[in-house]
Amino acid sequence: MLDIRQNSNHNNWNLTILGNRFILFSFLFSLFSFYATAQVTSSVDSTKIKIGEEILYTINVQSDSTDVVVFPEDQTFAPLEMIESYKTDTTFEGAKYRLIKKYGLTQFDSGKYTIPPQRIFINNKPFLTDSIKVEVNDVVVDTTKQKMFGIKPAVQVKSPPFDWLSLLFWVIPILLIVGLAIYLFRRKKRKDAAQKQLPPYEEAIVALKTLDNSQLLKENKSKEYYSNLTEIVKRYLDREVDEAALESTSDELITRLMMHKDAGSFDFDLETIRKLDSIFKRADLVKFAKMNQESGQAEVDRKTIEEIINETHEAVPEPTEEELLKNQEYLEKLRKRRKRRKWVLGISGVFAAVILAGAIYGAVTGFDNLKDKVFGNHLRELAEGRWIKSEYGSPAVILETPEVLIRAEVPVTNASKSTVSGRDIFTYGEMNSPLYIMVSTMRFNQKQDIALDTALDAVLDDLEQSGAKNMIVKRDDFETEKGIKGLKAYGEFNVQVSDNKVLKEKSTYELLLFAQQNGLQEVLIVYQNDGKYAEEILKRIEASIELEISEKKDGQ
């Protein structure tokens, strides 16, 4: 019995060991399978740079299509600084896919640095990349050629000027439209008033008829009735006889009429003046003393006023020939004024129609497009115009440009201090213009291997001496559509236009360098980036670049 128990315990112990081993093996197998399906690596395009140059740091993640990969946005690369975080590229390799994430890094102090490991999450599990050592070197300055100057004091910079052009672009049309609307409204108001203004006699008769149709007498409103009645006759006399009639009291008006009669200006009958004086006095009693009139007196006075108006109308002398002539001149001036107003109205209408059409066109196609059509856009004209494809220099560079490049004088530069048998330069525009294109080809006397990195440094130095200040340099490989490889430098700089003046607005540049058949070929494009047409021009020129000599060599 003892032996049986010992064997039984021994067997159970063996089973326990086998079970633990199976669990450990399963865990290790699953862990290995997970690591096998997800691989994380990192690399840089260069371990040695100059101060301020860009290091392209790349993280590659290879995993299954069902894995969730996250590149945190708060990655830290201290002591290096991150310039830019590029978009993630994805490539498929069978059932797996590869994610490529690139970061632009730089450092502005020389020394040896270590890029720390970066954390990547795959299915919520962290992975760390390897650390990478890089070296940042100083830019060597030859003090025998480059003079040293002391640090300049700080300069007070003025605030940028107000963009009046953009303000006027919107304010002027609005003011014109508002002004046109006010003018048309006032013109219509004056026209309506002129149409309503009848001749004095007709105006008085119409006013009397309107008074007859009123209900003032039936409503026992004698005061209002007599006020209107005297107002009618005074207004008539003001327009036909005496310009001060409306501002005069009743007694003053009677006195002035007597003076006109005595002076012979108007052939008034004394009885007519007496009747008018009597009506004025009754009207004053009604208006101010609230005296009640006898029944029918108001109708009699109304009839008397109409007779006075008729008699006065007949007594008004006919205008003299001189008055008629002045009136004719007045009518001629009035006609010219009306004609001038018609012209102004017509031109204003056309201008308003143009403004309205422009607003509609801008709303449909975009106001930037409208601005380009009205004020012009040199870069847009170049981008949309007819392009020319031509061959420049030897070894030849073939490319397509908006305008033909013109041969320029060859300056003495650092890049041409070797044994050079010949050099050709072709340009379009100026360095500070909206678009500048330069093609340079250089031929060497002896066959030699050209280091593009060294040549690019020399060309960048020459560019800086030519007026490119505060230059930001990024480097990258470049390949034409036909597979010819070269080197590219790109970034921004300020253009120096005189000894003490540098443009505040930065220019964007791209420099392409090729070494073909014992020669050096350079394409430089400098432009003021408008965010659209300049980039279209750059891409089109890039796509058209061909190196003829390289093609001949391949064909041999």
Side-chain angles (χ1 to χ4, degrees), residues 136-383:
V136 181
N137 298 318
D138 285 321
V139 178
V140 179
V141 179
D142 189 351
T143 57
T144 61
K145 299 178 181 179
Q146 177 67 47
K147 296 180 179 180
M148 303 299 291
F149 301 94
I151 299 175
K152 294 183 178 181
V155 178
Q156 185 68 29
V157 180
K158 296 181 180 180
S159 58
F162 186 76
D163 191 359
W164 290 103
L165 183 61
S166 299
L167 178 64
L168 293 177
F169 181 75
W170 294 104
V171 171
I172 289 179
I174 295 175
L175 292 178
L176 288 173
I177 293 175
V178 172
L180 178 63
I182 294 174
Y183 169 76
L184 293 176
F185 174 76
R186 290 185 175 178
R187 183 176 181 276
K188 185 177 184 302
K189 190 175 181 180
R190 287 195 301 267
K191 186 176 180 180
D192 292 342
Q195 289 177 349
K196 292 179 180 178
Q197 187 73 22
L198 296 173
Y201 177 75
E202 285 80 358
E203 182 186 47
I205 298 302
V206 170
L208 288 174
K209 292 181 178 179
T210 303
L211 183 62
D212 293 339
N213 295 328
S214 67
Q215 303 295 320
L216 296 177
L217 292 178
K218 293 181 179 179
E219 296 173 1
N220 293 324
K221 295 181 179 180
S222 301
K223 179 180 178 180
E224 289 81 356
Y225 184 86
Y226 273 96
S227 295
N228 291 335
L229 186 62
T230 55
E231 175 76 15
I232 292 171
V233 69
K234 281 185 176 183
R235 183 174 297 276
Y236 171 73
L237 294 174
D238 182 86
R239 295 185 61 187
E240 282 281 53
V241 179
D242 193 311
E243 294 179 352
L246 281 175
E247 291 79 14
S248 303
T249 63
S250 300
D251 293 337
E252 290 174 347
L253 179 57
I254 296 300
T255 302
R256 295 180 67 85
L257 291 178
M258 291 298 297
M259 291 174 60
H260 284 297
K261 174 178 173 55
D262 295 339
S265 301
F266 296 97
D267 188 15
F268 286 115
D269 185 33
L270 286 175
E271 184 63 22
T272 301
I273 297 176
R274 188 190 64 78
K275 291 179 181 179
L276 183 61
D277 182 45
S278 177
I279 294 175
F280 280 161
K281 289 179 179 178
R282 257 195 308 276
D284 290 340
L285 291 174
V286 171
K287 290 187 290 183
F288 303 112
K290 299 182 180 180
M291 185 185 71
N292 293 325
Q293 293 294 323
E294 297 180 1
S295 178
Q297 182 63 50
E299 289 85 348
V300 173
D301 290 339
R302 182 259 179 240
K303 186 177 180 181
T304 303
I305 288 294
E306 183 175 359
E307 293 175 353
I308 292 172
I309 291 174
N310 291 330
E311 292 175 4
T312 305
H313 179 63
E314 294 176 358
V316 174
E318 294 292 331
T320 63
E321 184 176 353
E322 183 178 356
E323 292 175 342
L324 290 174
L325 183 60
K326 289 181 179 180
N327 188 47
Q328 187 67 26
E329 292 177 358
Y330 171 75
L331 293 176
E332 182 65 20
K333 289 181 180 179
L334 186 61
R335 186 187 65 81
K336 290 181 179 180
R337 188 182 302 172
R338 289 175 179 173
K339 186 177 181 180
R340 188 164 53 250
R341 287 179 179 176
K342 288 181 180 180
W343 276 103
V344 172
L345 181 61
I347 294 173
S348 302
V350 171
F351 191 79
V354 171
I355 295 295
L356 181 61
I360 296 174
Y361 180 82
V364 174
T365 64
F367 286 98
D368 288 337
N369 182 50
L370 175 64
K371 184 179 179 181
D372 292 343
K373 293 293 185 182
V374 175
F375 297 102
N377 186 329
H378 185 60
L379 290 176
R380 179 174 183 174
E381 293 172 1
L382 293 176

